Amino acid sequence: MKRFTGPALQVLIVLAVATAGCGAVGDPRGSVPGTASPEETTPPGSATTTPPGTPAPGGGLVAGRYQPLWPFSTPGEAMAWREAHRRDGREAWHLDARRTALAFTRDFLRFTEIDRVAKSVRQGDHARVHVAYQAEEGPRLLVAAVVHLVKFGSGEDAPWEVVGTDDTSLSLTRPRYGATVRSPLTVGGRITGVDESVKVQVRRPGSTTPMGESCCVGAGGTGSPWSARVSFKAPPGRTLTVVASTGGHVATVERFAVTGVNVAPS
């Protein structure tokens, strides 16, 4: 892993922190539109993305429009937790957006160095949590991603659900959010940075190992396009999390972005 010091390290810190802005509320990945490739589309005449209000193949959508990425896969799972929590108070962290975002990052994605929250903003049933890691020099926190969460159901005891990330200096715009996909899958977006190495994984809840992985794509520049191709094995009708990450300068993973897709019927 490369280590940068002096002026080079300062440049990397600026890129990691200053560009960590939020995207549009309507799209949990941000405001940059994606384009689906032929293998990512449904049969001719069908929609290429899941329209708002249409249930995802793996279960219902969150708030009628968002993909349920983690920790619950269906409304039934979320309701089962609510009933158990009302009985005995178990797993109260589901009611805390900050703790849920960190658990998603550390426990599900396995990005163990990203263990801090630099900022958290709640607007009604939406929360955006800026997950971060500690800089090697000084107390500054470096933001790795802005995790978008939405309440899975109504009421104060509805749990938080991760539905995506906002675009930062690393964007993931292909495949489109909510697209129906098959393997192999073309993944891409844009990146700003120096000597970057983009890794792609396909994950789903309940599994500690990726369904597929591609490593690594060299990239760099200002808003430069990047693209990778990844094969995966997953049951039809499941909602999957596609993860793009880069690092190796001051931490193993310094930035990441996720999107949600659905596996096409066989």
Side-chain angles (χ1 to χ4, degrees), residues 8-108:
L9 177 60
Q10 293 176 1
V11 171
L12 290 168
I13 290 174
V14 170
L15 287 173
V17 179
T19 58
C22 296
V25 172
D27 183 346
R29 295 176 299 102
S31 58
V32 182
T35 304
S37 62
E39 70 273 14
E40 296 158 14
T41 60
T42 50
S46 301
T48 58
T49 60
T50 304
T54 300
L61 298 176
V62 183
R65 63 183 304 175
Y66 298 106
Q67 300 296 313
L69 303 187
W70 193 86
F72 305 108
S73 298
T74 66
E77 290 182 8
M79 180 56 68
W81 171 81
R82 291 180 75 170
E83 293 174 351
H85 178 71
R86 288 167 180 172
R87 287 195 304 269
D88 56 25
R90 72 180 62 178
E91 298 179 324
W93 60 268
H94 288 298
L95 299 176
D96 188 323
R98 295 164 63 100
R99 294 176 64 186
T100 302
L102 283 178
F104 170 75
T105 303
R106 293 185 316 229
D107 303 335
F108 180 56

Side-chain angles (χ1 to χ4, degrees), residues 10-194:
Q10 293 176 1
V11 171
L12 290 168
I13 290 174
V14 170
L15 287 173
V17 179
T19 58
C22 296
V25 172
D27 183 346
R29 295 176 299 102
S31 58
V32 182
T35 304
S37 62
E39 70 273 14
E40 296 158 14
T41 60
T42 50
S46 301
T48 58
T49 60
T50 304
T54 300
L61 298 176
V62 183
R65 63 183 304 175
Y66 298 106
Q67 300 296 313
L69 303 187
W70 193 86
F72 305 108
S73 298
T74 66
E77 290 182 8
M79 180 56 68
W81 171 81
R82 291 180 75 170
E83 293 174 351
H85 178 71
R86 288 167 180 172
R87 287 195 304 269
D88 56 25
R90 72 180 62 178
E91 298 179 324
W93 60 268
H94 288 298
L95 299 176
D96 188 323
R98 295 164 63 100
R99 294 176 64 186
T100 302
L102 283 178
F104 170 75
T105 303
R106 293 185 316 229
D107 303 335
F108 180 56
L109 299 184
R110 305 290 178 173
F111 299 157
T112 56
E113 292 176 288
I114 304 171
D115 59 357
R116 313 290 176 90
V117 171
K119 180 181 178 182
S120 181
V121 179
R122 178 174 177 179
Q123 293 179 313
D125 289 340
H126 293 253
R128 283 176 164 82
V129 179
H130 298 229
V131 292
Y133 56 96
Q134 186 77 53
E136 285 187 325
E137 300 178 5
R140 179 176 299 199
L141 294 180
L142 305 181
V143 175
V146 180
V147 181
H148 183 187
L149 305 95
V150 178
K151 283 280 192 177
F152 208 156
S154 59
E156 282 303 309
D157 66 343
W160 288 103
E161 178 80 4
V162 174
V163 297
T165 54
D166 286 354
D167 286 339
T168 63
S169 54
L170 170 64
S171 69
L172 201 172
T173 57
R174 184 181 188 185
R176 292 179 180 175
Y177 185 76
T180 300
V181 304
R182 292 181 174 87
S183 179
L185 176 64
T186 299
V187 181
R190 292 186 177 273
I191 190 169
T192 295
V194 179

